[in-house]
Every structure is written in structure tokens, then in C-alpha cells.
Amino acid sequence: MNQMTDFTRNEARPMLRVSGLSHRVRLETDTLTILQGVSLEINRGESVAIVGRSGSGKTTLLGLLAGLDTPSEGVVELDGAEISKLGEDERAKLRASRVGFVFQSFQLLPALSAQENVMLPLELAGIEAPEARARELLERVGLGERLNHTPRQLSGGEQQRVAIARAFASDPVILFADEPTGNLDNRTGQAVSDLLMQLNREKGTTLVMVTHDERLAARCGRQLNIEAGILTEPETAREQADQ
Amino acid sequence: MNAAQKLMSVRRDFRERDVRVVLVALIIAVATVATIALFASQLQRTLVSSASSFLAADRQLEAENGRPVPPEWLEEARSRGLETGQMIEFSTMISGPEGFELASVKAVSDEYPLVGEVEIQQQASDGAREMVASGPAPGEVWINPRLLRLLNLEIGDSLEVGNLPLKVTRLLIREPDGGFRLSSLAPRVMMHVDDVAATGAVQEGSRVEYIYLFAGAEDALDGYYQWLEPKLGPSHEWEGVREGETLSRSFDRAERFLLLGGSLAVLLAAVAVAVASRQYALAQRDTVALLKTLGLQGRGIGRLYLRRLALWGIAGIVGGLLVALPLFRVLVALLSEALERPVEVYLDPSALLPALLTAVVSLFAFAYPPIRRLRRVPAMRVLRAQPGETGRAALPDLFIALLAIFGLVWLYAGELVLVGALLGGLALLLGVLGLFGLVLMAVLRRVNGGGNAWRLAFVGLYRHRQASLAQLAVFAMTIMLAATLILVRTSLLSDWQTQLPEDAPNHFLINIAPDAVEQVDAFWADRGAPLENLYPMVRGRMTELNGQPVKEAVSKDERINALNRELNLTWMEQLPEDNEIVRGRWFDASDTEGVSVEADLAERLGLELGDRLTFTIGSAEITEPVVSIRTVQWDSMKPNFYVVFPPEGGLVNMPATWITSFYLPEQKKFALNDFSREFPTVSVLEIDHIIGRIQDIVQQVTQAIETILALILAAALVVMAAVVSATLRDRQREGALIRTLGGRQSLLVRSTMLEFALLGLIAGVLGVLAAEAAVYVLQARMFDGSFRWHWQVILTLPLVSALLLALFGRWQLRTVLTVSPMLLLRRLE
């Protein structure tokens, strides 16, 4: 394994390009380095798993890649836009049109029904006929009968399926998933990850997933390891990716 | 409706506890402020018109010189759109078939009364009374029931006023302008003004007063008075409603109390709105983070929440007014019942302005800041809990909010003293709380955990120390505000009670000859209605101040009624109990000169101790130095005097008659007939119905005050509920965990109730003490009362607040105890 590997690839424009990314958090007495010198490229349609233990910095990395936060140092380029230089509102605009999310804790709004939760990003992006599109997506994830149920009336697996439907609703070019099966039992987790991978393939979306579950990671085309804020790529994975 | 709209929809929003608290607080604030402002404005208007009816007009012009005023004065008034009327008052002997009686005659024109109504009785037997808006027709006479008995007459009989026979058609029970005029002491006879000439009773030089009545718009009256003033002679007196109004002082205080109540309602509502909207904002952080993640920009978030605030404001205002208007109608109905006449509902639109301002300021000074900060919630929060906002961010907000709220109270109450007392009380409270909190926490740190409910309660207080201190502060503040109101109300009511007790003097005896004093005293002592103090009375005019004519010595702007008429002068040895020397000294037994002057008159004349006042009494002139200035309780229903001499002073050898007042219960009133026969020269002034009326009004205003108090206590409860529910989730989670870990329900209940009871007790003690401090200032400066400690309240209120909060704590736990810990933990995820 090489540290500070340069993952640059030759394709015209990668979906995500990161170079020299560092992130530090100032604490009361000293400064904590969470990420250090991360560089990486992810191509269109690729599925990438970032694997690491709790506290390794993987969630912070995901947040920076998705433009939810800005790094202390380095450049993040998403679909050609240098998001590390954009203001918060511009990043929000970019997310609305091109980014989808799936979270470990589902992050559904408890007051809205399943269908309304899926409609929300469509409305924020100004897409027409959001009801029909949301219904279609929920039918696709097997919840066609549960449109009007609120999250509290759904099981964990069902909630995550709603979240997946929501993630794909606005036809994002890239999908970020944070431990998508972390709150689910094995069987449900398996079903949910099947659905996620399948939809991802169908839509040709680029997938960046953070997980500590090696089995789930193995289902992605490429795995990266993160440990103490440093990103590494196993040789085998890199070779596979290069082929 | 789309999802984003639904997310922000009012109906959905109002299902959230915090939003409901904000709304209830707003509704109570708007309702209280609007009700109070509407009622205060109605009260003022009604009292002015009620006072007008004491004059039977808006203004009166009296000519005491026995000559009518030039007719063009009245023509001028009519040309300015004023209504006019005329009365002639004189005393004369009335003869019936069985004798003579001295009567006080009031002859009225067709227009009488311009304001108010005359109460009459058609039959002597059945006692049914009615109100009419006119006086007797020519040829008729209405007489006092006592005169009917004295002359042994029946309704329909004739009597003679001077040379003119007139038919008795009604019994005169009460005239609107029957107030306290000393010239109308003998039994009243009312007749038509056109019959006066035929009686022959009014001759050149006889003692007669021509009184002219005016009514109309305020500015027309003012304009007319400006025209008239230069033409008035020394014996002309222009009287407005504000003069000699006994009720005004009581109502002034009632109005101040209402304003104080309104201000407290505003403060309480602001606290509730602030607490609830902060909770709301905290709870909204996850939603905002998610919306940001899904691409909503800062401006969009700002817009969404501003729209929400606007909707809350509209709902609060509409809801508040929906509560206020019926409440206002109820209060007006009470008022109308008290005044025994229909009160025209006067909905003053400008009175609604403070209520609207309250809603807007509460929302924008208290609810908006935490909600505005939502824009700054990092999107990253969807992935990981972020450090919460520090207290420092909220400091400037707090400053602005305090400024806004005190600005509002000032604008509303217009009393700097009030704002100062409340602000001072609150500042003192917070200072003490800060110190106390430090000490408390230092003590609590030493308590170890354990299975005992007391220990768990102490540990609970320490572990939630930040929340505990914040709650303590809000509870103590709420209790302080509520206690201030309760204390002021109590002393206000007891003041009224002592001012007008059940046995307040309700009859005056005037014109008692010196040699009859003892017999009169004995007469009433024998009948179980002993007289209060008897005072000699000498009529005289104040003519000079330090050798200068007194009307020139005072500023032209001041119209001082006391200078325009004869004063009742007296001498006395003892200072009456309800008078108080403010400057100088009371007389010694050896004093042979000097006068004591009433404080308001002294102030208006600019009198200093040692100034020399000259009085003209009959043909004599006496000059005396001012040796003391004293306050007088004008509404005490006892004889009161502007100027008092020492017993051996300037009034020695002056012709005096005696005056006294006493309480005569209704069932002993018949004794007045015997009294009049035995002492025909003594005049009896019956003011029992006026006293009864004042007592009724005070009672109704008290009810209004109680209503407002109830509203404000409701606001206080809402604040407390808001604060308690602020930690609801944390406590539920903790409770569920304690149960999961094997804690018994009873332990949980006891320790939580104890924890809250302790909070309530401490907050109660601090709040009551701060309230005493505020009441001290308010009593001294706003309500002219004297301060005393209220031990009953000091001892009970902390216990009540402890109990109340313990119950609130128990209420918080209800879900923890009924729902399985697993379900609860899952729900709270």
C-alpha cells in the first residue's frame, strides 16, 4: 500500500477530483487533524467504497466530497465545479441538481408522508409533476402501497427504501451514501444494499459510499481505506480499477 | 399542496408543541393587552360621561350673584352647535295643607338634563322607580319623598311654592346633578323654570343661583369657553367634569393597575415566546440541515421561516382578538350593571394598537433571533451532530430583546417608574440568581448519587445545572411578575376597602347652630347612629396672598375653584386621622394664629410656610401666616377643609355653624323625619345612594381587575409549561434509560417531583422577594400607598410554586411511565 497515492486517471473529466485535501478542527487547547493530504479521482459511473473504522475520518471526507462542508486545505472538484471554492448557497444549488444522499439514520422528515419525503427534493429543484415521479419511485422500491405512511409507521428497512427513492428522485449524477445499512439487521441490510446497487446500475449514477461493512464494500467496484485521516487504495483494488 | 408547502404549513406547524406554546403565549398577550386597553379606554369614556351626568351636562356656568347672564352668551353657545339648558336654584318655604317646610327649589328648563337621567317614582306606595330624561312640565312639581311625609301630602295633591300652587305629580328620587352641593340641603323640590316668575319667590336681591348647562363636542366646548372667559365676572363659575370628581382618584389607580397588569402580560408573553421559539429553533436544526443538503439555499430557508413567523403573528393576533372582544363585552356589561344604566360600547380602534405591537415586537425581538440563526446551521449536521450554538451568540439578541420589551412597556404604560421598578426588580433578581446559582451548584456538587429519591433529586439538579439555572431564572422571573401583580392588587383592594368601608359616613348634617350641637349629638347617639367628629364651619373668601389680591398673585393659567367661591373655614384641635402634615407643624394648644392649608391648593397657589393669607368673612378681614401644609382624603366622605385654624386662632368670635357626617343604616332612615321636625334649621345631606353607587362601581372594577389577573396568571402558567417542556425529550430519554436499567417507577417519580419542587421552592422565594422590592417602588411612586411586608404571600407562594412545579414534573413523566422504555427510546431516536 502506498501512502499519498496519486489516483489520477486518464479519462477526460472525472466526476470527482480531490487533491491535497486536509481538514483540521480547532479544539479548545490544540488543533485536531481529521484528514491529511487526501487526493483521489472518481470516474463517472464508478462505485467506490471508503472503508474505515469509527473515528477514521470517513464521514468527514464524505461531507467534504459532497460539499456539505469546506476543507481547511485542498481542492474538491465535483462534476467540473470546484466546490471547495463555492459559497454555501452555490454549493446548495449544485447539490439540488446533481447530488443525492442516503444516510445511516435515514433522515426522513417525520411530519411528511413517504411520498412527500420523496417529493421534497423534486420541489426544491423545481421539477414538474413531483407527485407522479415520487409515486413511481416508491413503487420501484416496493413501497407503492405505503405512499401515505409517515416514517414512524414504517420499519427501518422501509424507511431506508424511502430514503433511497428520495436520493434518486432528482436524477443525481452522483450519490453519496453514509453507512446505508448501518442501522439495519443483516437481512434487511442485504435487501437495501441490493436495491441501492441495482438502482445505481440502472441509472448509471456514480456512487460514493462510506462504510465499515467490508461485505458491503466488496460490492462496489473499488474500495479505498481510510485510517487516521489518511486515504489509501489496496493494490488489488487499484489494479481492478485500472483494468 | 406540495411537500415543501406542507412542511411549512400552519396546520402542521401548529401541531408542534413549541409552536403551540408560542401561539398560546401570543394569544394571551394580545388578548390581555387588547382587553385592558379597550376597557381602560371605555372606562375613561364612561366615567367622563358618568361624571358629566353629575353636572347633568358637560359643563356648567354658575352665576352666584343672583342675576341671569346676558342672553347673547347662550345664543353664542347655540351658534357653536352646543346644547344649552337652564336651571334656577333658590330656597323658599313650601306650604301644604298641613304646614310649611323650607325647601331647596330647582327650576329646570325643558332641555334638562342634557346628560344623565332623573330617577323618579310614580306612586308613593309601590316604590317602582324609573329613569326619565326630563324635568317636570309647567304647572307640575316633583318633590323629595321626605318632603311628602313632612307635609303629609299624596301624589296628585297641590302645594304652594311662594304664591304659586303646583300639582305634585312625581316623587323625585335622584337627580343626576344632585352631588355634593352645599346649597341644596333642604328637601328638594323640582319645578319648571317658566313657573318661577309666578311664584314671586325670586326677587331682586334674594339668594338665587342661575345655572346654565352646556353639552356638545369637546372642541366646541373649549372654543366656547375661550370666547366666554374674558366676559366672566368674579361671581361666575365655569365647571367641568374633572372638578370635584370623587371617583377619579380611585379609578386613576385602577387604570394604573390595569396598565401594570398589561405590562406584566407583555413581559410574561415575551418570556414564553422567547423560551418556546428557542426550543422550536433547536428542534428545527435537523430539518434545516436536511433541507440544505437537499439543496435549499440560506435565503430560501430564511424566507420559509419568516413566512412562518408572519403566520404565527397573524394567528396570534386573530386568536387574541377573538378572545379579547367577547371578554371586553363582558367587562362592559359588568360596568353597565355597576352604573345601573346602559353603557354605550365604545370600541376604540387605537386601543388595539398596543396589542398588535405586542405581537409584532414579541415575535421579532424574541422569536426571530433564534430562528434567524437557523440559516447558519451547517449542512454537515445531517452526517454528524455539530457543536451547538454558544450562549455568546445569543447575548446581543438578549440585549436587543430587553431593549425592545422595555420600550414596549414604556410605550404602553407611559410610566418610567413602572418600567424602572420592573427592570430594577428583574436585574436584582438575576444578580441574586447568578450568585445563588454558583453557591447552589457548589453545594450540590458535594452530593453523591445513590438510590435515595432526595439524593437523585439533588444529583439531577446538578447534572442538568445549565438547564436548572435557566429554568430557575425563568420561574423566578415569572413568579416575581405574578407576585407583583397579586401584591399590588391586594393592597389596592384593601385601600379601597378602608377608604369606603361598609359603615362609611353616608349622611351630612350641616348648619347646626352652636347651641344645638349637644342636642343633635344626643339625638343620634340615642338612635344608635353616633356622629363622627363635629366641626365648626365659617364661610369666607380667600382674598389676598402676602398683601396682593390672590387672583393676581397666582399664574393666569391656573383656574382655582377654591378662589372663585366661599370656602368653608374651620378650627380644630386634633389633626383628623386621615390628614397628614407634609410641611410645617400642627397647632399647639397655645397657638393663637396661623392656618394649615391643604397641599394641592398650597401647591397651586405656590404657598410657602410663613406666607400671609387674608380672608374676608362677612365684613371682617383676618390675615394669618401659613404654619403647615397637609394632605386631605377628599374621598373619605367626611367633612374636609382647605383651610384650618387653631381653636384659639383667627376664627374666634366669628359666626359659625357646625357640620358633621355619620353613618345611618337604611332601616333607620325614618329617624330623619323626626330629626327634621325637631331641628328644622339643620340641613341633612343624604349621600347614601352616591356611596352605594361608588361601592358598586368599585366592586365591578375589582371584578374586572380579577379577570385581568386571571388572564395574567394563565400567561404565567403557560410560561412555566413552556420551560418545563423545553427539557421534555431529555428527561423522557433519561427516564426511559433509568427504567431500562432497572430503576423503580416510584423512585423516578419521587426524585423528579422532588427536583422540580426544589426548583419551585427556590424560584418562589427569590421571585417573591424580588416582587416585594418592585412593589416597594411601585407603592411609593405609583399607587401612593405605604409599603408593608406581605408575610402571607411570602410564605405561601413559594410552597404553591413548589407544588405546581412538582406537578408539572410529574406530568412530564407521564409518557415515561406509561409507554414501554423500548418504545420510548426508539421514538426518541
Side-chain angles (χ1 to χ4, degrees), chain B residues 260-278:
Chain B
L260 175 73
S263 307
L264 296 193
V266 170
L267 280 175
L268 282 172
V271 174
V273 167
V275 171
S277 17
R278 191 177 146 80

Side-chain angles (χ1 to χ4, degrees), chain B residues 59 158 223 225 257 353 458 460 465 484 492 542 559 601 806:
Chain B
R59 301 284 190 281
S158 278
Y225 178 61
F257 177 85
L353 198 66
F458 283 125
R465 54 190 171 279
T484 305
L492 191 65
M542 188 188 291
R559 270 192 62 82
L601 180 66

Side-chain angles (χ1 to χ4, degrees), chain A residues 59-60 63 68-69 88-89 92-93 95-96 101 103 107 109 111-112 116 119-120 123-124 152 166 178, chain B residues 2-4 6-7 12 287 290-299 377 379-380 382-384 826-827:
Chain A
T59 300
T60 306
L68 295 180
D69 203 353
E88 202 185 324
D89 281 347
K93 208 166 147 190
R95 283 198 298 272
F101 287 93
F103 305 98
Q107 298 283 10
L109 290 174
L112 300 187
E116 287 160 347
M119 283 160 64
L120 192 58
E123 287 164 356
L124 293 178
R152 201 180 265 190
R166 178 180 68 186
D178 175 34
Chain B
N2 69 31
K6 185 172 177 193
L7 187 63
R12 210 194 65 63
T287 304
L290 183 70
L291 288 174
K292 277 189 162 182
T293 303
L294 295 180
L296 192 61
Q297 299 173 29
R299 204 180 314 144
V377 169
M380 194 62 186
V382 287
L383 294 177
R384 179 190 298 134
R826 209 180 137 199
R827 202 187 288 170

Side-chain angles (χ1 to χ4, degrees), chain B residues 150-347:
Chain B
L150 285 170
L151 292 176
N152 206 4
L153 287 166
E154 296 285 332
I155 289 184
D157 288 351
S158 278
L159 52 69
E160 279 177 25
V161 178
N163 307 323
L164 182 71
L166 293 167
K167 188 176 166 197
V168 178
T169 55
R170 303 273 190 278
L171 288 183
L172 179 63
I173 305 299
R174 188 195 303 176
E175 30 187 319
D177 50 338
F180 302 102
R181 206 188 309 279
L182 291 185
S183 56
S184 56
L185 301 176
R188 173 67 91 198
V189 167
M190 187 182 279
M191 58 185 280
H192 196 275
V193 78
D194 292 348
D195 290 337
V196 170
T199 65
V202 175
Q203 309 276 337
E204 184 74 24
S206 57
R207 191 163 175 175
V208 55
E209 266 186 58
Y210 288 85
I211 300 168
Y212 301 88
L213 306 174
F214 302 89
E218 272 305 302
D219 47 352
L221 287 164
D222 289 344
Y224 176 63
Y225 178 61
Q226 274 173 16
W227 176 87
L228 184 67
E229 195 186 6
K231 301 172 180 61
L232 294 179
S235 55
H236 291 133
E237 192 173 325
W238 178 256
E239 257 196 277
V241 290
R242 298 194 187 281
E243 312 281 351
E245 172 55 76
T246 37
L247 286 179
S248 68
R249 228 164 58 93
S250 295
F251 284 104
D252 202 32
R253 284 198 270 177
E255 210 178 320
R256 278 156 183 249
F257 177 85
L258 291 177
L259 285 179
L260 175 73
S263 307
L264 296 193
V266 170
L267 280 175
L268 282 172
V271 174
V273 167
V275 171
S277 17
R278 191 177 146 80
Q279 285 313 310
Y280 175 77
L282 290 179
Q284 287 294 309
R285 285 181 305 181
D286 288 339
T287 304
V288 170
L290 183 70
L291 288 174
K292 277 189 162 182
T293 303
L294 295 180
L296 192 61
Q297 299 173 29
R299 204 180 314 144
I301 289 173
R303 257 204 310 271
L304 274 181
Y305 283 94
L306 260 181
R307 220 190 92 209
R308 258 178 178 190
L309 273 188
L311 288 173
W312 294 358
I314 292 169
I317 288 170
V318 171
L321 292 184
L322 283 180
V323 176
L325 293 177
L327 206 59
F328 168 63
R329 293 303 289 256
V330 170
L331 292 180
V332 173
L334 281 177
L335 186 68
S336 141
E337 201 180 294
L339 296 172
E340 292 172 6
R341 65 183 170 83
V343 169
E344 194 187 335
V345 175
Y346 172 61
L347 199 70

Side-chain angles (χ1 to χ4, degrees), chain B residues 24 97 140 172 207 264 384 650 691 748 755 770:
Chain B
V24 171
E140 294 181 3
L172 179 63
R207 191 163 175 175
L264 296 193
R384 179 190 298 134
I691 301 242
L748 191 61
E755 191 186 328

Side-chain angles (χ1 to χ4, degrees), chain B residues 456 735-748:
Chain B
L456 264 185
L737 273 173
I738 290 180
R739 277 187 65 199
T740 311
L741 298 177
R744 274 175 300 126
Q745 289 203 2
S746 60
L747 178 71
L748 191 61

